[in-house]
Amino acid sequence: MPTNIAITGAAGRMGKMLIEAVSMSSEAELTAAIERPESSLIGADAGELAGIGKNGIAIVGDIAEVKGQFDVLIDFTAPQATLANTQFCAANNKGIVIGTTGFSQEELAELEALQAQLAMIKAANYSTGVNLSLKLLEVASSVLGDDVDIEIVEAHHRHKVDAPSGTALAMGEVIADALGRDLQKVAIYGREGQTGARERDTIGFATVRGGDVVGDHTVMFMADGERVEITHKASSRMSFARGAVRAAAWLVGKDKGLYSMRDVLGI
Ligand code: NAD
């Protein structure tokens, strides 16, 4: 039986991709689509909006209207909307796949407080390639250890509203964990002016914004005499959408709690 899926943020860049990805999956079926209540697209056909032809799912402006129609919500919207939807899913025994990034520390704490009340997957990046890269970064960090300077460079399209990207931060977390460092203490978010010499245990982030770049990430491990770089480049949002749909189907029947995309992929 395919999993009944609701997609919120249905008219967004990722929302439309997710509608298409669900239509291509044998494990999932789109049964509800949600947008902001003030959106001019309320009532529109979700399939037509996503460019895949009519699918008979009308976009609604309130998740409560489709309460009985889905098992798992896929949410790629904005932090406050995602928090409200997580509360709704916890109260109504639904699973949630969270793709939204850019949460503040307070918002993350609110999400954390909810995670025991529902089955939740949260990932800054749902592509298989990025999750493989996280594994490679763990290995590289343990092998190269404290002998290298580590810097993370990311590039995204001009519309992205948060920086550095959630994926870059996830990469920083994996590296810091592998090296026994606290990312909050060692992260350097950009440099300017008389910065002084680089301290070995810092992890630097550099952000590039422009054009239609879907998402590029490079981690540099720099030693005297050699440099290792691990790079991932996304050329289509479909890689994120397919991963999120796979995660939603995987979540069905799981115990309440927080899971990662690496749990879904078994790496
Ligand atoms: P977008 O602005 O194109 O789409 C967001 C959509 O959410 C919009 O259509 C907006 O109207 C809708 N929305 C906002 N509040 C809402 C609410 N209360 N109820 C219903 N809909 C609401 O943005 P995007 O590029 O699609 O990205 C969305 C989020 O997903 C961002 O945080 C982005 O960083 C993240 N993202 C994550 C991944 C990943 O793999 N985890 C990949 C790409 C993007």
Side-chain angles (χ1 to χ4, degrees), residues 37-71:
E38 65 272 25
S39 167
S40 58
L41 291 161
I42 303 305
D45 184 276
E48 267 192 327
L49 176 70
I52 56 167
K54 268 198 163 88
N55 63 6
I57 303 297
I59 296 176
V60 299
D62 181 359
I63 194 169
E65 282 181 50
V66 289
K67 184 167 113 177
Q69 290 171 30
F70 69 96
D71 302 313

Side-chain angles (χ1 to χ4, degrees), residues 7-16 18 34-39 41 60-63 75-82 84-85 98-103 122-127 131 156-157 159-162 165-167 214 237 239-241 244:
I7 292 172
T8 187
R13 281 177 287 267
M14 279 305 299
K16 287 186 278 196
L18 286 159
I34 306 131
E35 250 301 328
R36 284 176 294 111
E38 65 272 25
S39 167
L41 291 161
V60 299
D62 181 359
I63 194 169
D75 184 327
F76 285 61
T77 56
Q80 282 301 320
T82 301
N85 288 330
I98 297 177
T100 305
T101 63
F103 293 97
K122 183 171 165 296
N125 195 306
Y126 281 90
S127 90
N131 285 282
H156 279 85
H157 54 91
H159 304 288
K160 186 160 178 62
V161 295
D162 53 315
S165 71
T167 302
V214 174
R237 291 183 177 80
S239 56
F240 312 135

